[in-house]
Amino acid sequence: MSATLFDLKGKTAIVTGCNTGLGQGMALGLAEAGCNIVAVNRRAPEDTQRHVEALGVGFLSIEADLGSTAPIEDILVRTQETFGHADILVNNAGTIRRADSLEFTEKDWDEVMDVNLKSLFFLSQAFARRCIDKQRRGKIINIASMLSFQGGIRVPSYTASKSGVLGLTRLMANEWAPKGINVNAIAPGYMATNNTEALRNDPERSEEILKRIPAGRWGESEDLAGAAVFLASSASDYVHGHALAVDGGWLAR
Ligand code: NAD
């Protein structure tokens, strides 16, 4: 029974920002569970494509810059043309800018908010409209952060966006749960990806962070795969508006 609960054979997931890092880890986890992958990236995700295709599932690459909402309709249309319907949306694409709040620019504010929050909302809206039109269940997984719960330092637009992701996850769940769409979030802890390269290269901050992680290590991209498969599968059908921390115990401290 448990294998069936987590089975994604014949399903299709749109995963944004999966050429690298956490998005790649989740795309591979979903593909391993049998899911076709629609990969939305600024550039062709060759490495992800090779690994997904080796698992014997379908793969479609869509090149799009989510710094604007312009490509959103096309993402849904092309998914429909290739796979008929998207069952799962993983809003993973995200960006970060670091500077003291006293110096922080409007450009760094807008660039982060546009990708992390605005496109996440309008892509979710476009996905949900199609699920509702076709009377099909849908699963939306938003990638939140520890800074959905905490303030952080020197990343004002990132904190605002990820706190917003948690709020929007709850709002969308409230509105769409009755329509058969699960909206949940994964809140990764400190993971070894491009996003945290500057932090890991700062010996003082890097040591401070590592000391606070009960699991005693930074997370890896593969660490999100299990949570993504759970929230994409029928195993989570009664889970709505939840943020699942995958953080090595960080929030428990
Ligand atoms: P990453 O930099 O490797 O991945 C970010 C992905 O988003 C890349 O694929 C990138 O190309 C894509 N992206 C950025 N701007 C885009 C745009 N304008 N259009 C399309 N795609 C765009 O870093 P990551 O750590 O794998 O980040 C993935 C997600 O996880 C992000 O939302 C990030 O905020 C979140 N996150 C990361 C950590 C961490 O510790 N690494 C912790 C919490 C949350």
Side-chain angles (χ1 to χ4, degrees):
M1 161 158 158
S2 58
T4 320
L5 270 178
F6 294 95
D7 186 15
L8 298 177
K9 251 182 238 102
K11 304 275 187 199
T12 296
I14 299 172
V15 186
T16 65
C18 63
N19 58 325
T20 171
L22 306 182
Q24 183 177 52
M26 289 186 284
L28 297 185
L30 295 170
E32 235 170 83
C35 194
N36 303 315
I37 302 296
V38 178
V40 180
N41 291 282
R42 282 171 295 184
R43 276 174 292 283
E46 286 153 19
D47 192 43
T48 306
Q49 175 159 8
R50 198 158 22 85
H51 283 96
V52 167
E53 286 178 347
L55 292 164
V57 297
F59 186 88
L60 171 68
S61 169
I62 299 180
E63 287 181 37
D65 187 336
L66 293 171
S68 132
T69 54
I72 285 175
E73 201 45 37
D74 185 54
I75 293 169
L76 274 300
V77 169
R78 290 184 57 197
T79 300
Q80 196 164 322
E81 283 167 2
T82 305
F83 294 116
H85 182 75
D87 306 279
I88 300 147
L89 168 64
V90 183
N91 281 308
N92 167 75
T95 192
I96 191 162
R97 299 286 182 277
R98 294 177 199 277
D100 291 345
S101 290
L102 289 174
E103 317 300 335
F104 210 78
T105 65
E106 195 170 339
K107 182 168 179 283
D108 281 347
W109 179 271
D110 288 342
E111 283 177 359
V112 170
M113 295 298 268
D114 284 349
V115 180
N116 294 15
L117 201 55
K118 186 173 178 185
S119 288
L120 173 145
F121 175 71
F122 285 103
L123 188 51
S124 300
Q125 181 194 61
F127 170 86
R129 283 178 176 163
R130 280 176 170 75
C131 292
I132 293 163
D133 281 353
K134 293 191 165 186
Q135 297 187 306
R136 294 182 64 132
R137 289 198 67 98
K139 301 268 183 179
I140 298 177
I141 304 168
N142 295 323
I143 303 308
S145 164
M146 294 297 98
L147 301 192
S148 301
F149 308 100
Q150 301 177 314
I153 301 168
R154 305 185 71 246
V155 287
S157 56
Y158 189 79
T159 300
S161 71
K162 293 298 183 177
S163 297
V165 167
L166 179 58
L168 276 183
T169 298
R170 291 170 171 157
L171 173 134
M172 293 189 285
N174 290 338
E175 293 195 26
W176 299 341
K179 300 179 190 301
I181 300 171
N182 296 75
V183 188
N184 290 292
I186 296 173
Y190 285 82
M191 318 294 283
T193 67
N194 299 333
N195 176 290
T196 52
E197 200 177 346
L199 272 185
R200 283 176 292 117
N201 288 340
D202 176 339
E204 207 175 300
R205 286 284 288 133
S206 169
E207 200 194 324
E208 262 170 28
I209 288 168
L210 190 57
K211 269 207 285 203
R212 226 207 98 148
I213 303 174
R217 65 171 177 87
W218 287 67
E220 299 294 336
S221 300
E222 308 80 71
D223 287 320
L224 290 198
V229 170
F230 168 61
L231 292 176
S233 69
S234 62
S236 61
D237 279 354
Y238 198 59
V239 180
H240 291 280
H242 183 66
L244 175 51
V246 180
D247 64 351
W250 175 275
L251 288 179
R253 283 296 276 266

